[in-house]
Amino acid sequence: MEHGEKQITVIDEDGNEQLCEVLFTFESEEFNKSYVLYYPLGSDNDDDEEMEIHASSFSPSADGEDGELEPIETEEEWDLVEEMLNTFLDEEEE
């Protein structure tokens, strides 16, 4: 996955592929990582249900084509991601 990509394919723990829309990406100098927030395609069409947003850190591959999504490991990282998401959503409402 690269910064600026609009869709990614995520493979879950069962090996199933899920096409997801990238909400946004950002980098953190504090943790020296890049992060991506995304949601499964199709989930934004149902107004009765809240959209489930996923977050992962990612490392670009050497060739710049694909990268590896990694779980967010610390509470401090989750706090940062939540703060960035809230800022993003506040800007979207304006």
Side-chain angles (χ1 to χ4, degrees):
M1 107 134 268
E2 296 178 41
H3 285 287
E5 250 183 80
K6 296 296 182 198
Q7 294 181 343
I8 58 174
T9 300
V10 177
I11 301 172
D12 67 17
E13 57 274 350
D14 298 324
N16 300 316
E17 291 187 359
Q18 173 72 55
L19 188 61
C20 296
E21 184 80 16
V22 173
L23 196 57
F24 68 95
T25 61
F26 69 96
E27 293 183 33
S28 167
E29 290 182 14
E30 179 182 353
F31 296 107
N32 199 27
K33 291 183 181 179
S34 296
Y35 297 90
V36 58
L37 281 81
Y38 57 94
Y39 58 91
L41 277 176
S43 64
D44 60 341
N45 297 333
D46 190 354
D47 291 335
D48 297 338
E49 198 175 309
E50 262 189 50
M51 180 172 56
E52 184 177 346
I53 298 173
H54 301 274
S56 298
S57 63
F58 73 92
S59 305
S61 63
D63 62 9
E65 289 298 311
D66 293 323
E68 293 295 320
L69 294 179
E70 303 288 336
I72 295 173
E73 299 170 343
T74 67
E75 197 63 41
E76 290 82 9
E77 285 181 278
W78 277 114
D79 290 344
L80 173 66
V81 168
E82 187 175 332
E83 182 180 321
M84 294 299 288
L85 176 60
N86 288 337
T87 300
F88 175 83
L89 294 175
D90 288 346
E91 289 175 358
E92 288 291 303
E93 288 179 6
E94 291 178 4

